[in-house]
Every structure is written in C-alpha cells, then in structure tokens.
Amino acid sequence: MKGIKKIICICCSLIVITSLVGCNGVKDKSSSLSDITSIKFKDFSKDISEDRIYSTIEKLSAKDDARITGFDGEKDAASYISKEFKDMGLSVDEQEFPVTAFKCNDVEVKIDIPESKVVESKALTFSKETPKEGLTSEVVNGYMGTQTDLEKAKVKDKLVIIQRGGDTFKNKTERATAMGAVGVIFFDPNSEEPLSATLVEPTKIPAVTISKADAEYLNSTIITSKKGLKATLKVDSQCIDSKSKNIIATLKSKKKDAKTLIVGAHYDGVDTPAANDNASGISTVMESARILSKKNLDCNIKFIAFGAEEIGLVGSNYYVQSLNSDDLQNTIAMINADMVGIGDNLCVYTMDSSKDSLTADLAVSCMNNFQYDNRRDESNRSDHVAFEAAGIPVAYFEYGPFVDYHTDKDTADKINKENLSNTCNVITSLCNEIGNNPERFSK
C-alpha cells in the first residue's frame, strides 16, 4: 500500500442501516393538492460558474489522502469552506465532535505458495493489526461470506477470500471471526482496484481488500495448485483520538419566525484524492450558496458541510441529534449532494420508498422541467439518512454510474463540468421555489 493510509472511526455508537434496494417512488398525498408538475422552475444556469465549481474540486482533491476525517487534510478543508461561506456574507457556526482516527502505516498481502508474489492491498478501516512478522496461513475461498459459505470453506485457522455484497464488511468479518478465521481478504467484483471501505468499528482479526483480478487469480490458484495456496498478511495500524466538525452557514430570512431549509454535502473523503466523492458535492453546494446569498427568501437556508461521513454518516447524525423538537418541526426539508460530477444520469434518492416525499417529487419535476436525464431511486448511504429517520423530507442527488468509487482513480480530471452545472441548477432552483413558498412545501 502506498504511503500512509489514514481512516477514521467514530467514538460514539451509531446504527448503520445496511439495505439498499430500488424503488419507483411514491407520490406525496399533498402533491395531489398542489400540482408540482405545473411549476415553472427558475433556470439559474446563466448564474452558475461550472469553472468555479471545478476549481474548488481541484483545490480540495489536489493530493492523495486529501481529506481523511480527523487529520490535517479534513481540517484544512473545513477552514477553507468556512472562510468561503463567510466571504459570501453568511453567518457561520462550527459544530465540533470527537472521532477516533484510524491510521494504517503499511499493509501487505504476500503469496508464499505456490509462488512468491506481492498483491496490492488496502486495510479496511478498523482492521486489527497483525504481529510484525505477519500472519501466515492457508488461503481458502469463502465466496459471499455467508454462514453456509464459510462452513463449506472450513475457514478455521485460515485466511479467507470473500466477495463484497449481500451483507456488510463488518458482519462478514465477524462471522469469519466466530468460525475461527485468522484474517479476511475482500474484493469488489465491480472494482479493478483495492477498495477503501470501513468495518464501522474495530474487529478481532485483520481485514483487507484486493483487486478483482488478484482475487480471481487467488481463487483459481486454490483450485489448480497441487500445493494449495499459502499467504502472509501484514497490517501495521493504530487508532488515535481526534475531532471533526460540521460547518453550518446560514442565509437568514427577514421574515419573522421563518422555517428552515437544509442543503448539505460531506467534505471528508477516504484515502484517495476523493474528487467526486465528495469534493464535487460540497463544491456544488458552495456555488448554490453563492447564488442564493444575494436573494431575500421567506425561509432560512442552512448550508452544511458535514464532516466524518465516510466513517458512518457521523457528522450528519451528530447534527440531527443536536436538534430539539421545535428545530425538527421547523425544518421544511433536507437536500443532499454526494458524488455529482461523474455519470450520465442524475438520480434523486430517498431512504425509504414506502414513505411519501413531496421534496423528492418536486426534485423530479424540476429535473424534468430542465430536461435532464434522471431517475428516482432509494439509498441509505449518505447524509440524508439521519434527517429522513427524524421525519424530515429529503432529496439526495447523485450522478451515476461511478466506477472509480473509493479508488485512487477518483481524481478531478474525471469530473464532467456539465454534471456540476446541472446539479447546481436543480438544487438552486429547488431552494428558490421552496424559499419563496415555504408554507406550501412544509410537511
């Protein structure tokens, strides 16, 4: 593994929802009372500087390991974002919270038998360290890492290769631990590189990722080699106490007792340049804030740059938990932007398809109005989750597909400027529509 890999974990307990399925969306009951398809959304495309958004992405993703939570890169990004918001004339507050920073100094997967070969790898966040000499053991194929798969593989005292999917890295690692495995080697069938990922909390055995090609080679060798397959796994890691923060910039309404609309994006990243995930989202939100800062709306807008998303949606959870019942009741909706620079389809997500969402329906209507290719779907993998769980309507924007997710190829040169402009236009138009008609769109 190149350089020092640093990843973070939260020091408070969180509930992580692990299901992810598709949906067609459900019409909000109130939408029948106010036909949102007839709304003529204001087009802000001429006010948007896609070059300025792109320039901000370049700044935030200028190096590898650019903004890992709790370390200097994330702190520098927070200071930059805070200053930019203040320069727009917005009122800025910083909400700090503790995290435990995970640092991986080195990781190695070395094949010993049938041939000597080092396989590129990454340690998962919270991976347990190994002895300095590493762990040497037979390697077996654990397929999807289900109870049945691991029983058939006879993983006791062995290193086990497990494919991503169907369950969390954490659950699969704990299952392998309970059955006596000494370490887990994960791979993503959709990624050509070792994936950066988290185990959510410390585990009792080391866990790493390798590329799809290397995993296929190892699994093939298990079948064809008469000598079997033996490997040595080394992980040099440690945890330190640190802090992250949310940057909260408020555009205040002159209207007395105004309600509040929240527009957010996380600014931290995994151990990559993290250009699309999520320098693209926060840079787009900042451009929207710059445009809207010149307007006098009938509701407050809070533009929030969330810290520590990559380690379990920590910053957004912390923010929502800080709200009292009046704050929650006074919040109209939450708009979220995550990975909006790459792909050919602008998707709007909510967490639960069984619940009505006028905000998401409004978003779809806006995208249709601008004739953007779009899709309505469901996800629980970004900062909208805590808000929806608290009863606040949400609309989470993401472009896709994005094949370089959580890899070192997530660089600024891959970003499509038109995607940035389209996303910013929709977000700004939604804020303008809701901001001028807050009572109409309040839950």
Side-chain angles (χ1 to χ4, degrees):
M1 172 174 150
K2 49 165 188 57
I4 292 178
K5 300 299 181 184
K6 307 168 184 174
I7 313 177
I8 316 300
C9 67
I10 182 174
C11 56
C12 61
S13 61
L14 293 169
I15 296 175
V16 179
I17 304 170
T18 58
S19 61
L20 180 62
V21 296
C23 74
N24 294 319
V26 181
K27 273 283 186 180
D28 189 283
K29 295 175 183 177
S30 61
S31 65
S32 61
L33 302 176
S34 54
D35 186 6
I36 59 177
T37 60
S38 65
I39 294 174
K40 300 300 182 184
F41 293 92
K42 180 174 174 57
D43 189 344
F44 287 90
S45 58
K46 292 183 179 179
D47 302 302
I48 296 167
S49 171
E50 58 186 34
D51 288 335
R52 181 162 47 216
I53 303 174
Y54 184 79
S55 177
T56 303
I57 294 171
E58 285 188 312
K59 180 179 181 64
L60 292 174
S61 62
K63 60 181 182 178
D64 194 16
D65 302 349
R67 303 180 312 282
I68 299 173
T69 310
F71 289 93
D72 289 344
E74 192 206 30
K75 294 174 184 177
D76 291 344
S79 297
Y80 169 74
I81 293 166
S82 179
K83 181 181 183 302
E84 288 294 302
F85 279 142
K86 288 176 182 176
D87 288 347
M88 298 175 200
L90 303 176
S91 172
V92 178
D93 297 304
E94 297 185 0
Q95 184 184 51
E96 194 172 68
F97 50 89
V99 294
T100 300
F102 175 86
K103 180 174 70 172
C104 182
N105 300 311
D106 194 20
V107 60
E108 181 182 83
V109 176
K110 179 177 177 293
I111 308 305
D112 301 311
I113 297 175
E115 63 177 329
S116 180
K117 177 181 179 180
V118 175
V119 174
E120 183 183 2
S121 58
K122 286 187 177 182
L124 273 73
T125 311
F126 295 135
S127 171
K128 181 178 175 61
E129 74 279 10
T130 66
K132 288 185 179 180
E133 67 275 14
L135 294 171
T136 300
S137 177
E138 181 184 351
V139 183
V140 295
N141 186 351
Y143 296 93
M144 297 301 297
T146 65
Q147 185 76 18
T148 301
D149 288 339
L150 297 179
E151 287 175 352
K152 289 182 178 179
K154 299 179 181 180
V155 300
K156 183 174 174 58
D157 298 325
K158 298 172 185 174
L159 294 169
V160 56
I161 301 172
I162 298 178
Q163 180 177 315
R164 183 189 189 190
D167 203 346
T168 64
F169 293 109
K170 174 180 179 290
N171 288 345
K172 292 185 178 187
T173 301
E174 289 181 343
R175 195 175 297 129
T177 303
M179 299 185 70
V182 297
V184 181
I185 302 172
F186 286 104
F187 75 98
D188 185 338
N190 298 312
S191 178
E192 298 303 323
E193 293 191 355
L195 192 72
S196 294
T198 180
L199 293 163
V200 181
E201 60 186 34
T203 54
K204 295 180 179 179
I205 61 175
V208 301
T209 64
I210 62 175
S211 70
K212 172 187 175 183
D214 284 332
E216 290 174 344
Y217 161 75
L218 295 184
N219 284 330
S220 174
T221 302
I222 290 171
I223 297 173
T224 61
S225 174
K226 294 180 180 180
K227 296 180 180 180
L229 178 64
K230 276 194 175 183
T232 299
L233 172 62
K234 294 181 182 180
V235 177
D236 176 13
S237 63
Q238 66 183 94
C239 290
I240 59 172
D241 292 333
S242 188
K243 293 181 179 179
S244 182
K245 63 177 64 173
N246 297 324
I247 309 300
I248 306 165
T250 304
L251 174 61
K252 296 181 179 179
S253 173
K254 293 181 180 180
K255 184 178 179 182
K256 186 178 179 180
D257 300 323
K259 290 183 176 293
T260 298
L261 172 64
I262 294 173
V263 182
H266 76 89
Y267 66 95
D268 66 316
V270 296
D271 56 340
T272 73
N276 193 42
D277 185 15
N278 187 38
S280 69
I282 188 57
S283 300
T284 298
V285 167
M286 290 166 67
E287 180 69 7
S288 181
R290 186 173 284 104
I291 296 167
L292 292 166
S293 65
K294 302 177 177 64
K295 295 196 168 290
N296 180 20
L297 301 174
D298 290 336
C299 76
N300 305 312
I301 301 183
K302 289 186 180 295
F303 300 96
I304 307 180
F306 294 110
E309 188 265 3
E310 294 291 1
I311 58 167
L313 315 181
V314 179
S316 52
N317 272 280
Y318 191 88
Y319 176 80
V320 172
Q321 290 168 9
S322 74
L323 302 177
N324 60 36
S325 58
D326 288 340
D327 294 329
L328 292 171
Q329 186 61 34
N330 199 48
T331 303
I332 303 170
M334 189 273 184
I335 297 171
N336 182 48
D338 197 345
M339 299 186 290
V340 298
I342 297 174
D344 52 22
N345 201 275
L346 182 55
C347 187
V348 59
Y349 293 106
T350 55
M351 184 177 70
D352 188 348
S353 62
S354 68
K355 295 182 179 180
D356 298 332
S357 178
L358 177 58
T359 307
D361 291 341
L362 187 67
V364 171
S365 181
C366 184
M367 291 187 290
N368 288 337
N369 183 83
F370 295 141
Q371 297 183 334
Y372 299 155
D373 290 336
N374 67 83
R375 181 167 60 92
R376 175 81 162 85
D377 213 327
E378 181 177 285
S379 172
N380 59 8
R381 298 173 64 185
S382 193
D383 287 311
H384 64 296
V385 169
F387 292 88
E388 185 169 336
I392 297 171
V394 303
Y396 156 32
F397 291 99
E398 176 188 320
Y399 257 100
F402 174 39
V403 297
D404 294 323
Y405 172 73
H406 281 191
T407 74
D408 292 336
K409 293 182 180 179
D410 183 9
T411 52
D413 60 295
K414 311 287 198 326
I415 297 293
N416 184 330
K417 291 184 180 181
E418 183 179 359
N419 289 5
L420 304 176
S421 180
N422 290 350
T423 307
C424 188
N425 195 23
V426 173
I427 290 175
T428 308
S429 185
L430 284 177
C431 289
N432 182 71
E433 187 63 34
I434 295 172
N436 284 314
N437 304 277
E439 297 303 325
R440 179 182 182 184
F441 299 110
S442 296
K443 60 182 184 294

